Every structure is written in C-alpha cells, then in structure tokens.
Amino acid sequence: MSDTSHPAPLPPERLRRTADLASLAFQSTAELTPFDGFTGQERALGAVRLGSAIEKPGYNLFAIGQPGLAMQQAVETMLREASAAREAPPDWVYVNNFTEPHKPVAIRLPAGRAAKLGDALRELIEDLKATLPAAFESEDYQKRRGAMDEAFQKKQAASFKELNDKAALRGLVLLRTPLGFAFAPAKNGQVVSPDEFHKWDEAARLKVEEAMHEMEKELEHIVQQMPAWEKARREEVRKLNRDTANFAVGRLIDETKAKFSDLPQVQAHFEAVRRDLVDNVGMFVGKNEGDEGPVPTTLPGGPFDRYDINVFVANDPANRGVPVVHELHPTLGNLTGRIEYLSMQGALVTNFRLIKPGALHRANGGYLLLDVRALLAEPFSWTALKRVLKRGEIVIEDASHFLGLASTVTLEPDPIPLDLKIVLFGERILYYLLAQYDPEMTEHFKILVDFEDDFERSPKNESAYAKLIAAMAMHDKLRPLQREAVGLVIEQAARLADDSGKLTLVTDQIRNLIVEADHWAAQSSRKQIEQQDVQYALDQQIWRASRIRDRDQEMILDNIALIETTGQHVGQINGLSVMELGGFRFGRPTRITCRVRPGSGNVIDIEREVKLGGPIHSKGVLILSGFLAGRYALDAPMSLFASLVFEQSYGGVEGDSASSAELYTLLSALAEAPLRQDIAVTGSINQHGEIQAIGGVNEKIEGFFDICRKRGLTGTQGVAIPASNVRHLMLRQDVVEACKAGQFAIYPIATADEGITLLTGLSAEALNSKVEQRLKAFAKIRQRFGEAETKAKPDDTP
Amino acid sequence: MTTRGSFKRVIIDLHRSATDQSAIALASELAAAMGLELFGRFIPPPGLANLAQLPFAREFRPMEREWRPLDPERTAQELELAAAAARRLFQRAAGAVAQRFEIVEDQTDGLHPEEDIAVLRYAECLEESCALVLDEALRSAAAVLIVPGNVRPRRGPVIALADSPEDPALDVAATLAEAAGETAMGLDVHGRDHAPAPPGARLIVISRHALPDDALPALATHKRVPVLVLRRPV
C-alpha cells in the first residue's frame, strides 16, 4: 500500500512566537531604565570607534544600512561622546590681501580669538577716522603743505619772471596763447603792431627774430623742466602725507597689535594694514594731492571694509568638544564654501568679506556627517569632496566658473588645511556600487560601518528591546507602555524582521507604531499605552495602506479574478505572490494552470514568452524542467509540450517562489490528478525536488486566509509553505486563532513528493507512475508522428 | 567805508582760472552767501592778435612739445574755443547762483571799484610780489577774495580778524557764517603783525590794514583757507 500521508499542519504555537519577557519584571516601561546604547550593533559601533581613533588620512567612515536604522543618531552620539574632552578647534578668518586683493589671506587663530580680532580692527578704524583727519588738519601739516605748494608755485613763477625780464631786455614780451606760449616784439611793454613792425628796417627785424629764437630755447627749457618740478612736488607732498599718516596711525596700530603679540600671522597682517593705511590715507582725510586713493578692487562695501576681517569659522573655547556638523543639503557651495557676488552698476563684484564657509569649514577639526544619496545627487559635490580629501585642504570651488557660465573676476582665497573626519551614511547598494565603480572611494573611506538590520531574538535581547522601547517613549514624551503592549511591539519587531527569531533594528517603524499607539491611548483617555492601543495602531496602519489590497480581494470575492478556495481541479493550483506598494506588502493568491500534450520536451512559460516573466521566475521554470527530465525521462526522450501560465496576471512576474506550485500543476496535468483548490502553495524548488525558502511568507499566508475567511472558512483550507520558512512565521493573531480552532492550517513542505501528496491525496509513487505512463504515451505518439513525417519528408521539419 | 550792503558782484577772471574749479566754486559760494551776482570774465591775451599777423610768429605748445606757426585765423578760432570752454567750465562750477559771463578786451573794462569783489588766485601773483598784486586788485575792487592753491571745501567757522569792534569784517563774517550755517568768530588782531586764526576755518574775513599787506596772501596760503580782504580807507 502506497504512503498517502503528508506533513501535519503546524501547531499554533509555531505560527507566531510570542514575546518572552519573563526575565524582566515590570508592569510598564515607566519602571524600566531606558536603554541608551545601540542594541545589536556591536560590529558597526566597533568600526566607529576605530575610525574615530585613527588620525590618518583616508580613515573616514562609510556607514551603511537600511533607512530608518537611526545610524546617524548612533554615530553622532558616539562621536560626540568620544570628542567631548577635546579642545575646540581653531578659528579661521579671511583678511584682505593688500598686494593681491583677489587672493584673500586665511589666518588661523586660537578658538574664540577671531571675533576679538574683528572687534579690535573695527575699533582701530573708528579711531583712525577721528585721528587721521585731525593730523591732516593740524597747523603743522597745513603749514608744511602750504609751504610746499608755495615753493613750487614760486619756482615756476620765478622762472617765467626771469624769462620775461630777459625777454624785455631783448625787446620782447612773453604772451600766453590759448594753448601755449609765444614771444612777441614789444615796445614799452606792448606788442608791436604788424604795421609798425613792417616799418622797421631789415636789421631790426632780423635782430628781433634772432632774439626770439634764443628766447624760445630758454622757454622750451623751462617748460620741459616743469613736469619734473611737478613730479618732485608731488613726491614731497606724498612723503609729507605718509609721514603724517605714519605718525598718526603708528601708536594706534601698535596698541592694537600688542593684543595679538602671540600670533605672528596677525602681526604680519597689522603691518600690512599699516602700510596700506599710509598709502591710502586719502580715504580718511578726503583725497589729497599725492595720494594714490583706495584700490578699486575693495568694492563692494565701504572704503574701510578693506581693513575688516571675515570671521569665517568661529568656535567658542568655553564649549568643549569638536563640531559635529550634519549637512543636509550638500551642494557644492554648501560643502566647500562659496564666493558671493553683488551687482554693482551692472557688474558682479566681490571681495574677501563675501567668502562664505561651507560645511567642511564649519566641521573642520571635528566631524562632518553626510547622506551619500544626497551627496551623489548634487552635481560636482562628490568629486569636489574627493579632491578636498586628496589635497588635504579645503579649496572653495565655483561651479559656474567650471562650466564657463560666469566670466566675472573672482577670488582665489587661501585654502584652509583639512583636519576632519567625514562620515557618509547610505544604503548598502550605494556603497557597493561606489566600491565597484569608483576606485577612489575605498582610498578615502577606509572604515566601513555596516549596521545590522536585525539581531537575534533571545530572552535577553527581548529585555533589551523592551528598554529600547522605554527609551523611545521617554525621548518622544509618550505614555509608558504596559507590559503586554511592549510584548506586542516586540512581536511586531520580529514580524518586521521577517523572522520570528530576529528583532528588527529599523527602529523608525517601531517608533512610528508607538507614537500612533500613544495617540490612540490618548483618544481613549488612557494613561498608559495598552496592548489594544498597539494592536489598534497596527490595524490602522494596515487599513490606511490597504486600499489596493482591498480592491484586489474584492475582485477575487466577486469572481472577477478567478480563485477557487474549495474543490479540486486538474492542472490548476493557487499560487501565492506578494505585492509591495509604498512600503506596504500584502499577499494574494494567483491561479496557475498547466496544459500538456505530446511534444519535443519543452515546458513553455507563457510569462517568459510574452516577456512578463523576470529572469528569476524563468530560472524557476527551467529548474522545474530539469527536475522533470531528471526524474521521468530517463529511458526515452522527453516528449512533452507543456504550457504554464499565471492566469489573469497582467503585470510582470518575478521570483521563483511559485516554481513548486508550477511543478504541482504540471504533474497534475500529466497525471490527470486533480489538485486541491483549498490549499494555496508557495515555495521554490530545486532540480532534486527539494522545496526551498521564499520571502514574504506571512503576507502570502494572510492573503489566502483573508479570501478564505471572507468566503467562509471550511476547516480544510490552508497553505503549503516551505518547511525552511517555518522559523519566519509571525502570523497575524486572527490567522493563529483560526488555526488553533482547526479552521485553517499551515503545512510545512520539504519535498515535491510531500507537496503533491498533500494536494492530490495520492502517494508520490502513485502519482509518479501516472506521470511516467503519460509521458511514455506521449513518446509513442511522437514516435508515430516522427516515422510518418520521415516517410513524407526526408528533411524533417518539426 | 565798505559794508556788506555795498557789494554787488563777485568777479573772477576766467582766462587764467577757468580750469580752477575750486576757485570758481568758492567765488560762487561767496556770491550766493552775500546775494551777489557772479561775473566771469574772459580777457584774451592783449597783443596776441597783433603777434599772429607777424610772419615769423609761432607758439610753443607744452602738451605737444613743439613749436607751431601762429596763424591769425586759427588763433582767433582757438581764442573763441578757449572762451567757450571757459564759459562752460564757469557755468558748471558756478552752479545755481546768479551769474554772467563776458569776453572783455581790457582788464579794467566795466569794473566798479566800490561794488566788486575780485577773486585773486594765489598762483596769479607769484610772478610779482603778492602784496603788489593785491594792492593793484584793491584799486579796482572793493574787496578781494584770495584763493590759495589746493584749497578744499571744508566746514568750520567764518573768522573775522578785526582790529576794532567797528571793523566791517565782523559784519561781513557774520553774514557769511549765517548764510553758510556756520558760526562766526571774531579775533582781535589789533597791533599784531600775524594772524592767530585757528586751523579748520572755512573762510577768513579781514579788512585791509588790519594786518600788513604782505601778511594777507601768506595767511591764505599757509592755512590753505580763502581770505576775503575788505578795502577800507586808512
């Protein structure tokens, strides 16, 4: 007698693992010490410790994990704790470069000194605004200046007077014409009229003419000397102005300079300020003759802004610890700093005061946290960051100049030495892609911080999770959770981990659940969050997201989508699939059918033929063919043509979780053995007929259960799942209750033989025999057709 | 005796000072403060027309550093252009004050010695003794405004250097200070031979003979402050 037994349904306690909080005595989370560490992330946190401790180039961190793992919070907390005792990093200022204004000078100052330097310089300039004009208004200056002017004018005047006197002795007079000078014959100081001149005899006229030529040479000589005299005068005035300015500014600058005597770079800047003040004293006293005036590149801003400083990075020495900066919008400008421009008279102008720091500057001396997806999404930012890391200094880069979009004069500020660690956060795929395609990535980010998605669900860890829940409630100022509520949250953590033996570390979803449960508790005027609040919050979450699922189930219940949940059919089975839309997953049954006839050994996957099947799905069907060939066609060519299809499937199909269902359908069609429609099937198969684990087992079971329940549970319905998926079961409570009541069943299946026995009620041997017989019959038919065709047409064409 | 009410015009000779915009501006400021007319005169160089008719006449042009023959027609054109330029510069520097511009042939044409204030740029008297130039100017004007070289507009009191309480400089200084929105200061210079004016004055007003003639131009140039010298019978 053949064996028609099949695996027994799973006992209810295997369908959902309840939380075990026996080792933790508490009634509500208010009694628990909140867990302030990061549960289950020892590997990642060890990497953070290592990365933050190695002070060498390239030892930056790349933290990867699922979104919602609170990686940034974990890393930031660790970095802040590790650097709490470190001194604040230095301040940085940009000052004007008086000799090359387009190259502002960066000066490093001890923390807290930048603002003081700025105040001191501004005070100095305010003082100079009063002191310098007074020096130039002084009696002494005015006398010396007046004497210079007078001496110059007298020198000029004396030269012309002497020339005039000489001319008079020669009977000439010097005239000023509109554009120059001329000598004219004169009599009694008056120019001789032409008539009178023509009356003079030839000798007199020649004498005058000769005298004029001689005097002209002297005039020429004087005029040629005049620019030199003027230049000498201007030099004298300039020297006087410089001496006066030097005297006036000297004491004030020395006093200010003394406050920064410990800073040689600042001392040098004060000397540059002194030189520039002396050269441009006209700014303070109105433009004097001999002054050069301010250099025009100081625009925009007032004339005195050239002496101001740009407090670029300021740190407070009173605050211990280094900066930990999280840049949410890492554009090139936000990252490396930028140079701003002002529009003045239609031109874009800038100066050292318009240099703005980027996140790299603000984080310098500490840590910069960046989301790698945001970083990669910004043009130029990733490559700019790598350049900064390669150079070891922060250079402000301007994208518009890279692209040639701007042709304005810009600045080349001194680069600032880089002294920070960068921590990138992102999904694993981004890390792996970068590692594969960008060889520089691993050069600059040597420390991988790989966060776990879940951790082992032991009693000890459940207790730790309870404390983590307590910490979340406290952090978000929520009501305490009752013990039973905590248990349900932990069970949900296992469900989210897709494994009854794991707890998810994607705590964002857990936090959302608690926040919503707190809301519902408040609605019911409860002082604590009870289990029913958590359950209600879960139900509400599903309800809000399940519009598509509900419509889909309606289609099945209304027999628009054909799914039978009772009876038997040859070559037809209920497979199970999972849909994920916007983070919500739900399972749904799908009818899979198979038709067979004699053929050349092909199993046609209609999904693949019409390009609706993905590669993994197609792989599953090909494996199925391999199984068939290995088991049934050992002594004759496989003479089968079979077509498999997901009925009423109009989208793509991917995954191999239906391959066992497809095999059962095929075997049913071959053996002409009807399959139970009240059992839905999931699981992939290998070439040896072993059933392998699939994903989304809970959702798949619940999807079929919902349809059966709505039609009315018969007590025979259930789902066949891979035995290796049993550990993943964290089914809804209503499914568990139905199984407990004998209304529904979950069958763990390890082999195709177990499955086919469950679905047909036939032993594997009996069914295999029928399959063999059918295949042999197909082979004979094919053989007959082959002979007939060979006779008719020697060049056989199928 | 000169009083503020007897002045009618401020006269500035533009053939020598049209490019000295600060001198015109000062003259204009004085005219506006005292409610006078600003009169700009352009006097062509006497004898230039005669010289231009001589066959060998030529001029040296410093800007071009070359000698060019003088041609009567071109010389007349250049004088005309120079006068037009002087007029334009005069009008620009004078601003909104009541003004008049004329080309006159003779230095003494149309002068009213009892009503005019003449502008004397310090640079104009360098070839001679400034005291002599001032003396000559005060023969044909009731007052002379001495403008030092490189004077710059500044704020400050209008200072009267007076040798007696009746000195008209006090009255004129008060008028000018009020018009300019400044304070007027009177300093006694009786029996002194130099001025005690503090630095930073906007204008100094002094009657002739309150100080020696040669001290007056020096007062302007040493302090770089314009000085208004009032003629007063001794």
Side-chain angles (χ1 to χ4, degrees):
Chain A
M1 187 177 164
S2 59
D3 182 8
T4 58
S5 66
H6 55 75
L10 288 168
E13 60 273 16
R14 304 277 312 267
L15 304 181
R16 178 184 179 90
R17 180 175 159 189
T18 51
D20 177 13
L21 294 169
S23 62
L24 199 63
F26 72 102
Q27 289 309 308
S28 84
T29 52
E31 300 162 28
L32 295 176
T33 308
F35 188 74
D36 57 358
F38 298 95
T39 314
Q41 300 291 10
E42 287 71 23
R43 188 200 315 267
L45 301 186
V48 174
R49 272 191 290 275
L50 177 69
S52 60
I54 298 179
E55 298 291 338
K56 295 288 179 206
Y59 279 86
N60 297 295
L61 294 82
F62 201 132
I64 58 173
Q66 272 196 43
L69 275 170
M71 291 188 292
Q72 291 172 6
Q73 185 197 346
V75 172
E76 193 172 336
T77 304
M78 281 192 73
L79 295 177
R80 284 195 191 282
E81 284 172 5
S83 66
R86 284 166 60 184
E87 285 185 1
D91 289 352
W92 284 94
V93 299
Y94 272 110
V95 298
N96 190 23
N97 183 337
F98 296 104
T99 51
E100 292 180 284
H102 69 289
K103 290 184 175 174
V105 177
I107 298 178
R108 176 190 167 121
L109 299 158
R113 299 285 293 279
K116 287 177 184 165
L117 177 62
D119 292 344
L121 273 163
R122 279 186 285 277
E123 194 178 325
L124 171 69
I125 297 305
E126 285 307 310
D127 286 348
L128 288 173
K129 282 181 188 172
T131 307
L132 277 169
F136 281 80
E137 292 289 343
S138 69
E139 181 81 9
D140 183 45
Y141 174 83
Q142 295 293 341
K143 265 187 187 170
R144 290 169 68 185
R145 176 70 193 273
M148 281 177 192
D149 294 343
E150 193 174 340
F152 169 73
Q153 287 175 336
K154 276 191 170 165
K155 190 173 187 175
Q156 270 193 337
S159 300
F160 278 100
K161 186 171 187 310
E162 192 183 345
L163 187 67
N164 235 339
D165 289 347
K166 274 189 187 176
L169 292 174
R170 309 290 294 269
L172 300 173
V173 66
L174 179 64
L175 295 182
R176 279 180 184 271
T177 66
L179 296 172
F181 302 91
F183 285 104
K187 193 173 174 184
N188 300 325
Q190 302 295 316
V191 177
V192 175
S193 69
D195 293 342
E196 187 182 347
F197 184 77
H198 289 302
K199 287 178 189 165
W200 290 2
D201 58 33
E202 182 70 18
R205 290 207 299 265
L206 282 173
K207 190 180 171 191
V208 165
E209 205 172 329
E210 191 181 323
M212 283 173 73
H213 284 311
E214 286 174 18
M215 294 309 297
E216 281 172 357
K217 283 179 192 162
E218 289 197 30
L219 170 66
E220 215 172 312
H221 179 67
I222 290 172
V223 171
Q224 279 172 353
Q225 281 183 308
M226 282 166 66
W229 296 342
E230 172 64 16
K231 189 179 173 191
R233 185 190 72 89
R234 290 178 74 87
E235 278 302 321
E236 272 187 61
V237 170
R238 191 173 294 130
K239 184 173 180 312
L240 173 65
N241 288 347
R242 291 173 66 87
D243 290 346
T244 307
N246 240 330
F247 175 75
V249 304
R251 185 182 56 83
L252 286 172
I253 285 201
D254 289 343
E255 280 175 10
T256 313
K257 203 174 141 185
K259 296 175 190 167
F260 300 91
S261 57
D262 56 327
L263 302 170
Q265 235 190 322
V266 175
Q267 297 285 302
H269 179 63
F270 272 112
E271 285 310 312
V273 168
R274 186 201 302 269
R275 284 193 296 274
D276 191 77
L277 276 168
V278 169
D279 288 344
N280 297 291
V281 71
M283 284 193 304
F284 293 85
V285 295
K287 194 169 184 316
N288 274 296
E289 191 180 2
D291 295 337
E292 298 296 335
V295 182
T297 48
T298 54
L299 288 171
F304 305 109
D305 289 350
R306 60 199 279 112
Y307 304 113
D308 200 355
I309 62 169
N310 179 350
V311 179
F312 200 58
V313 179
N315 290 297
D316 186 350
N319 295 337
R320 304 293 288 186
V322 298
V324 179
V325 174
H326 186 192
E327 178 56 59
L328 293 171
H329 189 198
T331 60
L332 180 64
N334 287 352
L335 198 61
T336 63
R338 63 189 185 281
I339 297 164
E340 294 186 340
Y341 296 84
L342 291 176
S343 176
M344 294 187 71
Q345 297 175 346
L348 291 176
V349 292
T350 186
N351 68 12
F352 70 99
R353 296 170 75 242
L354 293 175
I355 307 170
K356 304 294 176 186
L360 285 164
H361 298 106
R362 285 183 280 117
N364 211 12
Y367 300 94
L368 174 60
L369 316 184
L370 295 169
D371 179 85
V372 71
R373 182 179 286 274
L375 182 67
L376 293 171
E378 293 296 338
F380 310 112
S381 293
W382 171 243
T383 47
L385 181 65
K386 286 190 294 181
R387 276 195 295 277
V388 166
L389 291 170
K390 203 173 191 81
R391 287 175 178 148
E393 57 188 19
I394 312 167
V395 177
I396 294 176
E397 298 181 348
D398 187 344
S400 60
H401 282 84
F402 291 165
L403 300 173
L405 298 176
S407 57
T408 52
V409 174
T410 189
L411 302 177
E412 294 171 35
D414 276 355
I416 288 181
L418 184 74
D419 175 27
L420 56 68
K421 281 202 182 289
I422 292 168
V423 186
L424 296 182
F425 295 92
E427 297 145 61
R428 290 190 177 87
I429 185 68
L430 295 176
Y431 174 79
Y432 296 130
L433 285 172
L434 281 172
Q436 182 161 1
Y437 293 111
D438 188 344
E440 287 177 280
M441 195 277 283
T442 45
E443 179 189 334
H444 298 307
F445 295 90
K446 295 184 191 295
I447 301 291
L448 172 65
V449 183
D450 196 350
F451 278 80
E452 301 284 359
D453 298 340
D454 47 39
F455 70 130
E456 198 60 35
R457 187 182 172 191
S458 64
K460 183 183 164 200
N461 285 348
E462 283 193 354
S463 298
Y465 214 88
K467 291 179 182 175
L468 181 66
I469 293 166
M472 287 183 200
M474 181 177 281
H475 181 267
D476 290 339
K477 299 185 174 57
L478 307 176
R479 287 164 181 72
L481 286 89
Q482 285 187 350
R483 184 183 181 85
E484 293 73 20
V486 172
L488 185 52
V489 174
I490 289 173
E491 287 164 21
Q492 179 63 13
R495 165 82 183 222
L496 290 171
D498 269 337
D499 191 333
S500 63
K502 301 269 187 189
L503 292 170
T504 184
L505 288 168
V506 185
T507 49
D508 265 11
Q509 290 176 330
I510 296 298
R511 172 173 281 111
N512 295 346
L513 176 63
I514 300 172
V515 168
E516 289 170 32
D518 178 74
H519 170 78
W520 297 120
Q523 293 290 304
S524 303
S525 306
R526 281 192 273 276
K527 292 185 176 171
Q528 293 187 334
I529 300 172
E530 297 183 5
Q531 188 183 33
Q532 59 181 315
D533 298 318
V534 177
Q535 186 60 55
Y536 190 66
L538 277 170
D539 294 343
Q540 285 291 308
Q541 282 183 343
I542 293 168
W543 178 73
R544 288 198 302 273
S546 62
R547 192 184 68 83
I548 301 290
R549 182 198 68 176
D550 293 350
R551 295 294 90 79
D552 191 63
Q553 290 182 354
E554 274 176 24
M555 302 256 285
I556 294 171
L557 296 171
D558 294 344
N559 291 322
I560 295 168
L562 300 177
I563 297 291
E564 291 183 23
T565 50
T566 57
Q568 295 183 323
H569 273 288
V570 172
Q572 175 177 308
I573 199 167
N574 287 325
L576 292 168
S577 58
V578 171
M579 294 182 75
E580 179 160 3
L581 295 167
F584 175 66
R585 294 197 303 177
F586 64 92
R588 70 183 302 272
T590 300
R591 175 177 287 180
I592 301 170
T593 61
C594 179
R595 302 300 293 267
V596 294
R597 64 177 174 83
S600 59
N602 292 335
V603 176
I604 298 296
D605 172 16
I606 292 179
E607 307 303 325
R608 189 178 67 169
E609 295 298 310
V610 296
K611 296 189 170 52
L612 281 174
I616 298 173
H617 175 77
S618 299
K619 179 187 172 191
V621 175
L622 293 173
I623 288 172
L624 181 157
S625 304
F627 170 78
L628 274 182
R631 173 169 280 195
Y632 301 109
L634 300 176
D635 54 358
M638 180 67 77
S639 303
L640 163 73
F641 177 88
S643 60
L644 282 163
V645 70
F646 278 54
E647 302 287 0
Q648 294 183 294
S649 166
Y650 306 108
V653 176
E654 181 55 315
D656 63 352
S657 70
S659 59
S660 65
E662 288 169 318
L663 174 66
Y664 300 144
T665 325
L666 177 58
L667 295 177
S668 164
L670 280 170
E672 294 179 308
L675 294 170
R676 289 175 64 178
Q677 301 298 300
D678 53 356
I679 303 280
V681 175
T682 184
S684 72
I685 192 163
N686 64 20
Q687 293 196 104
H688 297 293
E690 294 167 321
I691 305 299
Q692 302 167 146
I694 45 81
V697 66
N698 293 302
E699 288 80 3
K700 286 175 175 172
I701 293 170
E702 289 163 1
F704 189 64
F705 173 80
D706 286 342
I707 297 296
C708 295
R709 182 174 52 81
K710 286 177 182 173
R711 284 179 171 168
L713 292 169
T714 62
T716 64
Q717 291 154 330
V719 178
I721 64 167
S724 49
N725 275 121
V726 171
R727 67 161 288 160
H728 302 131
L729 292 176
M730 278 301 294
L731 288 167
R732 275 187 345 230
Q733 200 60 43
D734 56 342
V735 182
V736 177
E737 293 301 326
C739 292
K740 201 182 281 182
Q743 295 171 318
F744 201 73
I746 310 300
Y747 300 96
I749 306 296
T751 63
D753 288 347
E754 286 179 6
I756 200 71
T757 302
L758 171 67
L759 291 164
T760 60
L762 297 173
S763 68
E765 291 79 11
L767 186 115
N768 288 340
S769 171
K770 287 188 173 203
V771 171
E772 288 278 1
Q773 286 169 17
R774 189 79 186 278
L775 285 172
K776 282 177 181 171
F778 282 173
K780 281 181 183 169
I781 293 169
R782 193 170 171 232
Q783 193 178 16
R784 279 203 308 273
F785 273 101
E787 287 166 357
E789 283 176 8
T790 308
K791 285 176 189 166
K793 198 187 333 176
D795 54 335
D796 184 17
T797 307
Chain B
M1 181 174 155
T2 304
T3 66
R4 62 183 171 178
S6 59
F7 300 120
K8 295 283 188 289
R9 301 186 304 184
V10 177
I11 297 180
I12 182 163
D13 287 346
L14 299 171
H15 51 287
R16 287 189 289 231
S17 57
T19 53
D20 189 345
Q21 297 282 287
S22 61
I24 300 173
L26 270 172
S28 169
E29 197 180 311
L30 179 67
M34 299 182 76
L36 310 179
E37 178 192 44
L38 180 63
F39 181 29
R41 303 195 311 167
F42 183 86
I43 307 169
L48 184 60
N50 283 344
L51 175 62
Q53 292 175 52
L54 296 180
F56 50 82
R58 60 179 191 164
E59 64 175 337
F60 182 72
R61 296 191 170 182
M63 296 295 287
E64 296 156 28
R65 292 181 171 272
E66 65 177 15
W67 289 93
R68 294 183 124 203
L70 273 174
D71 167 76
E73 198 175 326
R74 188 167 52 77
T75 303
Q77 277 176 355
E78 284 175 355
L79 275 173
E80 207 173 299
L81 286 173
R87 178 181 200 138
R88 182 169 47 79
L89 291 168
F90 167 69
Q91 287 172 338
R92 188 168 72 187
V97 73
Q99 57 186 263
R100 186 155 58 92
F101 173 89
E102 272 185 22
I103 300 171
V104 297
E105 292 301 325
D106 192 273
Q107 183 77 29
T108 55
D109 276 0
L111 295 179
H112 302 291
E114 299 306 319
E115 298 174 353
D116 294 340
I117 298 174
V119 176
L120 172 64
R121 289 167 63 243
Y122 179 72
E124 292 171 31
C125 65
L126 291 171
E127 292 178 33
E128 303 289 343
S129 157
C130 269
L132 289 177
V133 176
L134 178 65
D135 178 63
E136 191 178 333
L138 284 170
R139 288 178 200 281
S140 53
V144 170
L145 177 69
I146 305 174
V147 180
N150 291 320
V151 68
R152 61 173 188 266
R154 72 174 87 184
R155 298 197 63 78
V158 177
I159 295 172
L161 300 179
D163 61 359
S164 71
E166 294 78 31
D167 193 322
L170 292 167
D171 183 42
V172 172
T175 304
L176 292 172
E178 188 183 350
E182 303 280 9
T183 54
M185 287 175 65
L187 296 175
D188 185 9
V189 291
H190 181 67
R192 302 179 69 155
D193 58 0
H194 67 277
R202 183 180 184 127
L203 176 71
I204 294 171
V205 184
I206 187 168
S207 297
R208 192 179 183 188
H209 305 308
L211 287 174
D213 271 3
D214 56 359
L216 299 176
L219 182 63
T221 190
H222 285 172
K223 298 189 186 304
R224 299 176 70 200
V225 175
V227 175
L228 180 63
V229 182
L230 309 178
R231 190 178 66 193
R232 190 173 61 164
V234 183

